[in-house]
Amino acid sequence: MAFNEEQFKAIKAEFVIDGERLQEIAASFRQDLQLGLRDVTLSSMRMLKSYVGLPSGKETGEYLALDFGGTNVRVSLIRLDGDGKFEILKRVGRPLIVPGQYDYICKDATAEQMFDFIAGLIDEAIDGDRNTKYYLGHTFSFPSTQTNLNNARLIIWTKEFATQGVEGEVANDLLSAALKRRGADNVEPVAVLNDTVAVLLSAAYKTPDTFIGSIYATGHNTCYLEPSIHDPDCFGSGGMILNLECGNFMKLMPNRFDKEYDERSEKPGEQRFEKMVSGRYMGELLGMAIAELLGEKGKQYNLSSIDMSMMILDESPNLSRATDILMAKVGHELALEDVKKVRELAAAIVIRSARLAAASFVAIVWQRAGSGKIVRQHVAVDGSVYEKMPLAKENIVKAMSELLGEDSSQVDTILDNGGSGLGAAIAAAMAVQA
Ligand code: BGC
């Protein structure tokens, strides 16, 4: 059955954000930011305090870095040498879910099981050493309310995590208790931070003039250095980094696929921006569109963003790779013309995602500049979508230049690969060496 041309065009149009709309979204994001700075309850974003500003770049010493924010947990032992230099001395990692074997992120899993698993990984990183004192920085990439640099209480799980007994709890208390149960209390968590904050610290350690940090991966979120916030408990300089939790930005227009997906998600009504931008959801949106075109609305195909990227990258004349992926996931042998249309839809979903992310970056640049000039600066981004998804990076650049006009040469995006780990080590150093 060939796709209906009109229906295809209408669906594709739902994912297009034109220049005017892009301006409106950036303006609305900036306004939400301004509201939140006045009174956080007025913003749809959480705008969470991190209790850390920029590092000096002179931080030194060996630290453990726990990177916990997606399905893979990583622990690294990192030596900071100052002057933006560092070395990763050891790195271990393991997924929180191996289908058919274990699953620490589902509803049936408990906080103890999850944190015991993580403590085991930390133990592996230090080879069971019980004699050396280790300070640990913990990148915990979920919305959490902080009262200081080491205390972050999980507000709500995102990214479809559902483990019991973690929401409402202090992440490092759960971690310390698990380390204790394991007899590894020579490991002391001293800092906890969002992955966006970690990326900003990591990038700023190496590259001056970086004030915005973002994750563009399974999840999506951005933080920035807010110069007007001063707090005696804040480490570092330049004000305080605010973790926007902009995945929860609501003041934009979701299309009917976004709405439908949201309704059947783990947390309906939450993370609406993230559900339009991040890698966790792009494949789902594409699957919903394909189901309609195939006359099987409501059917779920489990298409991932990796499938999407492989289909977009397939430029062979007969699109054999894309056809095979669709056969395997959707269960139909599609005609070449229809596979082409699926690729177009996949591209439209990625481009929309990139344009939305770009609008949020520019809104923050505008906000930081106020009525003054936009200074030369970098936006540090880490994550698989930014790094690997075809069309993502180039469309961020394009949309930012559409929005910034003649100021666009002042702002660029830089990849900060692995910043989540390095940033955690830097935060630990800032806490210990202050
Ligand atoms: C979380 C953020 C995190 C982002 C990227 C979102 O789901 O709410 O805290 O920064 O994912 O990992």
Side-chain angles (χ1 to χ4, degrees), residues 69 141-143 158-159 194-196 215 219-221 245 271 274:
S141 316
F142 302 94
T158 55
K159 294 175 271 204
N194 187 258
D195 49 359
T196 57
I215 297 285
H220 172 65
N221 184 19
E245 286 298 332
Q271 303 295 106
E274 181 169 52

Side-chain angles (χ1 to χ4, degrees), residues 88 131 234 248 288 302 312 384 430:
I88 298 174
N131 302 315
C234 183
N248 209 38
M288 291 169 77
N302 206 14
I312 298 173
S384 49
M430 289 167 85

Side-chain angles (χ1 to χ4, degrees), residues 358-417:
S360 68
F361 297 160
V362 170
I364 301 168
V365 169
W366 283 338
Q367 174 57 25
R368 277 188 46 90
S371 51
K373 267 187 162 334
I374 291 176
V375 296
R376 175 95 195 97
Q377 62 189 290
H378 313 286
V379 178
V381 190
D382 191 15
S384 49
V385 177
Y386 181 76
E387 203 184 338
K388 299 192 186 128
M389 178 66 90
L391 303 172
K393 186 166 186 249
E394 67 195 75
N395 278 286
I396 288 188
V397 173
K398 186 170 166 283
M400 284 178 72
S401 95
E402 268 174 67
L403 289 166
L404 286 165
E406 58 188 25
D407 284 324
S408 65
S409 59
Q410 293 291 81
V411 190
D412 63 2
T413 58
I414 51 173
L415 173 68
D416 195 78
N417 209 339

Side-chain angles (χ1 to χ4, degrees), residues 137-205:
H138 177 182
T139 300
F140 182 63
S141 316
F142 302 94
S144 309
T145 313
Q146 294 203 213
T147 51
N148 60 49
L149 183 53
N150 196 30
N151 182 297
R153 192 179 291 277
L154 176 63
I155 302 170
I156 184 170
W157 277 132
T158 55
K159 294 175 271 204
E160 310 300 294
F161 273 56
T163 315
Q164 303 165 28
V166 190
E167 283 176 329
E169 299 300 322
V170 173
N172 273 355
D173 286 356
L174 296 173
L175 179 63
S176 296
L179 287 165
K180 201 158 181 200
R181 280 197 290 280
R182 217 185 154 86
D185 37 16
N186 52 322
V187 176
E188 188 187 341
V190 290
V192 62
L193 65 170
N194 187 258
D195 49 359
T196 57
V197 179
V199 163
L200 178 49
L201 293 184
S202 150
Y205 185 70

Side-chain angles (χ1 to χ4, degrees), residues 26-311:
S28 141
F29 194 98
R30 181 185 188 181
Q31 194 194 23
D32 212 30
L33 206 57
Q34 285 172 334
L35 286 173
L37 286 173
R38 233 188 297 144
D39 172 355
V40 82
T41 61
L42 300 176
S43 172
S44 65
M45 299 185 273
R46 292 197 165 88
M47 303 184 56
L48 302 165
K49 289 184 174 181
S50 68
Y51 291 89
V52 73
L54 293 187
S56 63
K58 296 196 172 67
E59 292 75 11
T60 52
E62 266 180 43
Y63 301 92
L64 276 172
L66 162 63
D67 182 8
F68 170 21
T71 38
N72 273 311
V73 178
R74 293 182 201 89
V75 183
S76 322
L77 183 63
I78 299 180
R79 193 187 63 233
L80 302 176
D81 296 323
D83 292 329
K85 298 194 185 67
F86 67 97
E87 196 174 330
I88 298 174
L89 305 173
K90 172 117 194 203
R91 174 174 237 172
V92 294
R94 201 153 297 149
L96 283 164
I97 166 170
V98 175
Q101 288 184 34
Y102 61 83
D103 182 349
Y104 295 114
I105 64 176
C106 69
K107 279 197 187 85
D108 296 331
T110 65
E112 284 71 22
Q113 289 167 339
M114 176 183 246
F115 279 90
D116 281 347
F117 176 81
I118 293 172
L121 204 60
I122 294 174
D123 214 1
E124 199 180 315
I126 58 171
D127 296 319
D129 177 2
R130 297 283 177 272
N131 302 315
T132 314
K133 173 88 186 173
Y134 292 100
Y135 293 109
L136 177 141
H138 177 182
T139 300
F140 182 63
S141 316
F142 302 94
S144 309
T145 313
Q146 294 203 213
T147 51
N148 60 49
L149 183 53
N150 196 30
N151 182 297
R153 192 179 291 277
L154 176 63
I155 302 170
I156 184 170
W157 277 132
T158 55
K159 294 175 271 204
E160 310 300 294
F161 273 56
T163 315
Q164 303 165 28
V166 190
E167 283 176 329
E169 299 300 322
V170 173
N172 273 355
D173 286 356
L174 296 173
L175 179 63
S176 296
L179 287 165
K180 201 158 181 200
R181 280 197 290 280
R182 217 185 154 86
D185 37 16
N186 52 322
V187 176
E188 188 187 341
V190 290
V192 62
L193 65 170
N194 187 258
D195 49 359
T196 57
V197 179
V199 163
L200 178 49
L201 293 184
S202 150
Y205 185 70
K206 295 172 287 193
T207 318
D209 301 329
T210 310
F211 311 110
I212 299 173
S214 183
I215 297 285
Y216 192 15
T218 310
H220 172 65
N221 184 19
T222 302
C223 74
Y224 79 100
L225 182 71
E226 173 51 57
S228 71
I229 302 181
H230 299 284
D231 189 300
D233 291 332
C234 183
F235 295 86
S237 66
M240 192 189 285
I241 300 173
L242 283 181
N243 161 18
L244 292 179
E245 286 298 332
C246 63
N248 209 38
F249 176 61
M250 300 286 186
K251 297 171 184 170
L252 77 175
M253 278 191 319
N255 69 23
R256 62 194 173 83
F257 295 100
D258 301 316
K259 287 186 198 142
E260 238 180 87
Y261 179 76
D262 176 59
E263 277 158 24
R264 67 169 161 85
S265 68
E266 204 47 74
K267 294 264 156 61
E270 300 286 340
Q271 303 295 106
R272 300 302 297 271
F273 189 63
E274 181 169 52
K275 285 172 183 156
M276 296 166 77
V277 175
S278 86
R280 172 66 184 75
Y281 304 100
M282 279 193 244
E284 309 261 10
L285 294 172
L286 178 65
M288 291 169 77
I290 297 175
E292 277 198 15
L293 288 164
L294 284 170
E296 357 185 271
K297 188 168 158 47
K299 199 158 170 198
Q300 289 173 32
Y301 307 125
N302 206 14
L303 274 164
S304 67
S305 53
I306 297 176
D307 296 326
M308 278 176 76
S309 94
M310 287 193 301
M311 289 195 283

